[in-house]
Amino acid sequence: MKNLFSPFSLKSINLKNRIALPPLCQFMAEEGVPNDWHFAHYSQIAYGGVGLVIVEATGISSEGRISPKCLGIWNEEQKIAHTKLAKEIKDGGAVAGIQIAHAGRKANSEVPWDGAAHIPQNDPRALEIFGPSAIAFDDKSLTRVPKEMTIEDIKKVQNDFVSAAKNALEAGYEWLELHFAHGYLASSFFSSYANQRTDEYGKDKGKFLLETLKAVREVWPEHLPLTARFGVLEFDDKDEETLEESIELIKKFKENGLDMISVSMGFNTLNTQIPWGAAFMVPFTKKVKNEVNIPVTTAWGLGQSALANNAIINEELDIVMVGKAHFVNPHWTYQAAKELRIEKPERVLPVQYSFWLEKYKV
């Protein structure tokens, strides 16, 4: 029977267990370049025993970052630093993955602990923001109206995704995730809240996402996993319809080379009733898995080892994304192994730790 500590293989990549760190923004970069914070943060979690580490949402361009403090992977300096970061993760015993993203109409904002509002247009740090239509996200903090993208803008962004994927590969990452969720650019193209275009990208709201996937698949090696985090519903009283539309699009993703889907929310509107709670996205993820027959994962409230383990045992998830719990305890994998009574749980850690933990059990 499969459990949280069973190995998992996708394409040529083998995970030693089914625990993954999802992409969680740190907002600690300068000019998009990984630094000592990132090296320490990601390596300590890798050494903690996790099978897969996915580096946070990384901008495909300067204007594509959520904030000026976000990571980027569009130039050589950034790529060189990412090479070190990917190596640090691998040296810790985990597979090194990365999520590449364009923040769309949510871009160019302050870091969360400074309010997360759009940077004012008269600020020297201000950059132009883009969206499928000229509709601001809200009237409270993300109030700037994005430029409605021209076809040329769309093609440029898709080319930027391709370039970012190439840089990620050259940096040594072996697992690539496209950010198609959380109200960022790709997600907003799929949403009627943000996309009110009358052209082909408005009539077919999945067109931008599918084209971007196809373009990246052409340059990302076939033997390495290509995945996407996709917002399948909003919790806005239209969920049944949105979920069915999402599933149909995921079927097209699979037909065009997607290897796994990370199921999440759209976050394209504030008018929602999200049922926050333990493992609350798992039922929707299971529905996607059953209807599309594609490997699936999700995050959101899976920091309890028994819950995470049951999701694997019940074949609801193929791997489990454990985020905030790793901030509390970078050795969460070891904690889970003990709680689940895995034989010799110490051995999920490096031998420099496990030897002493096994030798002196006090």
Side-chain angles (χ1 to χ4, degrees):
M1 180 188 296
K2 298 171 186 172
N3 63 39
L4 196 59
F5 287 87
S6 301
F8 176 74
S9 297
L10 190 62
K11 293 295 184 69
S12 66
I13 298 302
N14 301 309
L15 305 184
K16 61 187 178 184
N17 57 49
R18 293 170 182 250
I19 303 167
L21 177 75
L24 288 158
C25 291
Q26 297 298 292
F27 301 102
M28 287 296 292
E30 297 295 337
E31 302 298 329
V33 180
N35 55 41
D36 288 347
W37 175 274
H38 303 94
F39 303 142
H41 166 65
Y42 287 110
S43 64
Q44 70 174 340
I45 293 173
Y47 280 104
V50 68
L52 169 67
V53 169
I54 303 181
V55 171
E56 65 205 74
T58 300
I60 60 170
S61 61
S62 179
E63 67 275 10
R65 292 172 295 168
I66 301 168
S67 88
K69 301 291 284 185
C70 287
L71 289 177
I73 195 163
W74 68 84
N75 65 35
E76 191 68 18
E77 182 184 8
Q78 294 161 353
K79 184 174 73 174
I80 290 169
H82 275 287
T83 302
K84 180 180 178 182
L85 181 53
K87 183 178 184 301
E88 294 270 1
I89 293 168
K90 293 177 185 177
D91 287 349
V95 169
I98 188 171
Q99 182 189 73
I100 56 175
H102 191 297
R105 64 179 183 164
K106 290 185 174 182
N108 202 217
S109 62
E110 300 285 6
V111 299
W113 39 90
D114 287 337
H118 273 143
I119 292 172
Q121 288 179 282
N122 61 355
D123 189 301
R125 299 170 298 155
L127 299 171
E128 188 169 30
I129 61 173
F130 297 85
S133 299
I135 303 170
F137 175 72
D138 65 24
D139 59 0
K140 297 177 178 65
S141 59
L142 296 176
T143 57
R144 286 173 53 190
V145 176
K147 175 193 175 187
E148 180 170 317
M149 295 174 71
T150 64
I151 299 300
E152 290 72 24
D153 293 330
I154 289 171
K155 298 308 178 187
K156 178 188 180 301
V157 167
Q158 290 173 333
N159 288 335
D160 288 342
F161 266 101
V162 168
S163 296
K166 290 178 179 178
N167 285 341
L169 180 65
E170 291 174 13
Y173 292 108
E174 298 176 313
W175 185 292
L176 187 66
E177 182 173 279
L178 305 175
H179 203 345
F180 286 177
H182 301 176
Y184 300 126
L185 185 63
S187 178
S188 67
F189 263 94
F190 190 60
S191 170
S192 59
Y193 290 109
N195 183 355
Q196 296 181 12
R197 301 171 72 98
T198 57
D199 67 358
E200 56 191 320
Y201 288 96
K203 294 173 183 176
D204 178 2
K205 290 183 169 57
K207 182 178 175 63
F208 174 85
L209 293 80
L210 191 57
E211 285 183 346
T212 303
L213 168 66
K214 289 179 179 179
V216 171
R217 181 78 273 181
E218 288 183 6
V219 300
W220 187 253
E222 188 61 38
H223 70 279
L224 296 178
L226 176 58
T227 72
R229 195 173 200 182
F230 182 39
V232 301
L233 74 175
E234 297 279 358
F235 294 107
D236 62 352
D237 295 328
K238 303 174 185 175
D239 296 327
E240 185 174 346
E241 177 184 353
T242 305
L243 183 57
E244 291 305 320
E245 291 174 352
S246 297
I247 287 171
E248 290 306 307
L249 184 55
I250 295 169
K251 289 177 182 177
K252 294 178 182 178
F253 289 165
K254 181 184 175 185
E255 291 169 2
N256 286 277
L258 192 75
D259 300 309
M260 171 177 269
I261 195 81
S262 179
V263 174
S264 193
M265 292 167 280
F267 287 134
N268 284 290
T269 176
L270 295 177
N271 297 317
T272 60
Q273 295 292 327
I274 298 172
W276 298 109
F280 75 96
M281 287 299 296
V282 168
F284 306 104
T285 307
K286 183 180 181 181
K287 181 176 175 66
V288 170
K289 179 180 175 70
N290 290 344
E291 295 197 21
V292 184
N293 190 28
I294 189 172
V296 297
T297 184
T298 193
W300 306 110
L302 286 160
Q304 298 176 38
S305 60
L307 275 177
N309 194 46
N310 286 338
I312 300 296
I313 291 172
N314 296 333
E315 299 187 346
E316 296 167 313
L317 304 180
D318 292 286
I319 62 176
V320 178
M321 296 285 173
V322 178
K324 294 188 298 296
H326 275 113
F327 292 173
V328 176
N329 180 9
H331 293 162
W332 185 89
T333 302
Y334 172 49
Q335 173 188 321
K338 290 194 297 179
E339 291 172 350
L340 297 172
R341 301 185 181 277
I342 301 299
E343 185 178 359
K344 297 183 177 179
E346 300 84 1
R347 295 193 180 183
V348 305
L349 298 171
V351 67
Q352 295 88 343
Y353 296 171
S354 63
F355 175 82
W356 300 108
L357 290 170
E358 283 191 78
K359 185 174 178 66
Y360 300 107
K361 291 181 181 287
V362 289

